């Protein structure tokens, strides 16, 4: 799935800080908890390991998953994509 692994460091919607970079959140931001259920923005932790997707046109985060330790290990173990032209 297209996205990025990162460390959520702070959340004050409409902005979130992931890996020391501030992102704006999309108006339709979807946040998925560790059980893959939607959670409300008010229940989002201030620190967590996340997988997130950015809208191509606006640069806003529009989907964010809170990851379990097993999911983090799986993502870190997979090979990096090689781009060829």
């Amino acid at each position: 799935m297209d996205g990025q692994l990162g460390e959520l460091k702070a959340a004050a919607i409409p902005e979130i800080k992931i890996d020391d970079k501030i992102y704006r959140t999309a108006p339709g931001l979807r946040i998925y908890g560790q059980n893959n259920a939607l959670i409300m923005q008010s229940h989002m932790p201030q620190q967590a390991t996340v997988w997130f997707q950015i809208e191509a046109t606006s640069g806003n985060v529009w989907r964010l998953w809170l990851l379990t330790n097993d999911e983090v290990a799986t993502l870190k173990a997979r090979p990096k994509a090689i781009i060829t032209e």
Side-chain angles (χ1 to χ4, degrees), residues 4-9 17-19 32-34 44-52 64-73 75-76:
Q4 301 175 49
L5 181 64
E7 289 295 324
L8 177 68
K9 306 240 176 146
K17 185 176 185 180
I18 302 174
D19 293 334
Y32 298 92
Q34 291 182 336
M44 187 166 63
Q46 292 296 305
Q47 296 184 355
T49 304
V50 297
W51 183 262
F52 63 103
L64 186 133
W65 287 264
L66 304 175
L67 302 177
T68 64
N69 291 335
D70 290 339
E71 290 170 327
V72 173
L75 287 169
K76 287 184 176 181

Side-chain angles (χ1 to χ4, degrees), residues 14-58:
E15 294 181 339
I16 57 176
K17 185 176 185 180
I18 302 174
D19 293 334
D20 299 322
K21 183 174 179 182
I22 303 291
Y23 293 93
R24 299 245 343 137
T25 58
L29 173 66
R30 292 196 178 249
I31 305 165
Y32 298 92
Q34 291 182 336
N35 61 358
N36 219 21
L38 285 173
I39 63 171
M40 302 301 291
Q41 294 174 358
S42 60
H43 290 96
M44 187 166 63
Q46 292 296 305
Q47 296 184 355
T49 304
V50 297
W51 183 262
F52 63 103
Q53 292 180 322
I54 296 176
E55 290 179 327
T57 55
S58 68

Side-chain angles (χ1 to χ4, degrees), residues 1 31 39 60 81-82:
M1 178 168 40
I31 305 165
I39 63 171
N60 294 337
I82 299 173

